[in-house]
Amino acid sequence: MIGGGGHASVLADILMGQGREIIAVISPDSISERPIFDGIAHFQSDDAIEKFSSSDVKLVNGVGFLPRSPLRKKLYQRYTAQGYEFETIIASDASISSYASIASGAQVLTRGIVQTGATIGENTIINTGALVEHDCYIAAHNHIAPKAVLCGQVTTGEGVFIGANATILQNISIKNDAVVAAGATLTMCLDKNTTHYPIRSTEKYT
Ligand code: JB2
């Protein structure tokens, strides 16, 4: 498990519930305040990953992704280039259509829904309770945050962040590294590296 913070602990919970063994947590910071990691070996340097042969272990990308943060993608690319495979994680209560495609290293968390004809790219997070409707194409290294709703045929480029509870209407295209802030509703296509914020009411409460 690479990383030992909030995202890693959610993934560990899912994996342990599926009877999987986590043999080590690799994180520069302490993990002692998270009881889920009790009893698991902890290494503070990424160099420790190379103690484990790529044929013996799978890696889990437990470093999350906030808008335009580079670390998660960097770690994924560094270790896949060295021949390591990242585990694809599907929570037991996620709902994935048999006609959806989930790429290597993607993570669909608790009650995430991926409908028929949808594609989820490598290293992408579909977070708790997010809904990816039919025929969406979600590229690599995205984070679709909790309870975001993507209506049918939404497409995203790499590195897109869609915040919690955001709604993306059908047929919308979102280009690389764009951000949809939490709670926003997106009704038009979004250019690369731009941010769409929720419309705020100007009314004053009296
Ligand atoms: O270079 C690194 C490195 N830098 C930070 N290598 C390794 N192996 N680990 C690294 N870390 C570790 O990432 C930190 O030591 C820490 O354990 C973890 C980051 O934890 P944090 O709780 O700050 O963030 P997160 O990435 O787990 O969660 C973010 O993304 C999630 C998807 C949060 O914002 C969550 O709210 C969000 N749900």
Side-chain angles (χ1 to χ4, degrees):
M1 176 70 71
I2 300 179
H7 190 59
S9 66
V10 170
L11 295 173
D13 208 5
I14 289 169
L15 287 166
M16 290 167 165
Q18 294 173 342
R20 302 294 299 274
E21 184 191 8
I22 297 169
I23 56 176
V25 173
I26 318 287
S27 147
D29 299 309
S30 167
I31 57 169
S32 59
E33 70 284 3
R34 293 190 182 275
I36 192 153
F37 296 129
D38 286 357
I40 301 176
H42 175 213
F43 299 97
Q44 289 192 291
S45 165
D46 287 345
D47 295 342
I49 293 171
E50 287 152 41
K51 291 179 195 288
F52 302 94
S53 160
S54 60
S55 54
D56 293 341
V57 297
K58 284 190 171 179
L59 301 181
V60 175
N61 201 347
V63 172
F65 171 54
L66 294 179
R68 305 183 186 106
S69 57
L71 183 59
R72 176 180 170 86
K73 178 178 173 181
K74 202 173 103 189
L75 289 164
Y76 184 83
Q77 290 182 329
R78 176 174 169 192
Y79 290 106
T80 49
Q82 290 183 32
Y84 288 92
E85 188 181 342
F86 280 80
E87 184 62 287
T88 306
I89 295 173
I90 312 267
S92 303
D93 56 1
S95 172
I96 312 288
S97 164
S98 321
Y99 300 96
S101 162
I102 312 287
S104 173
Q107 301 169 344
V108 185
L109 307 190
T110 306
R111 290 190 294 283
I113 300 175
V114 181
Q115 291 283 36
T116 182
T119 298
I120 308 297
E122 60 181 337
N123 196 38
T124 277
I125 304 166
I126 307 299
N127 217 320
T128 308
L131 168 60
V132 178
E133 259 300 341
H134 66 88
D135 305 308
C136 285
Y137 179 88
I138 310 302
H141 314 297
N142 280 212
H143 178 187
I144 313 300
K147 289 209 158 183
V149 173
L150 278 60
C151 299
Q153 291 164 219
V154 167
T155 64
T156 69
E158 289 198 2
V160 165
F161 179 92
I162 298 180
N165 253 321
T167 301
I168 317 296
L169 294 196
Q170 65 277 8
N171 299 314
I172 297 287
S173 160
I174 302 173
K175 306 294 186 208
N176 289 11
D177 303 310
V179 172
V180 180
T185 298
L186 186 67
T187 60
M188 294 167 71
C189 295
L190 196 56
D191 213 351
K192 67 178 181 184
N193 213 20
T194 54
T195 301
H196 176 73
Y197 295 99
I199 294 162
R200 297 199 188 282
S201 168
T202 51
E203 272 177 36
K204 291 203 169 68
Y205 293 99
T206 51

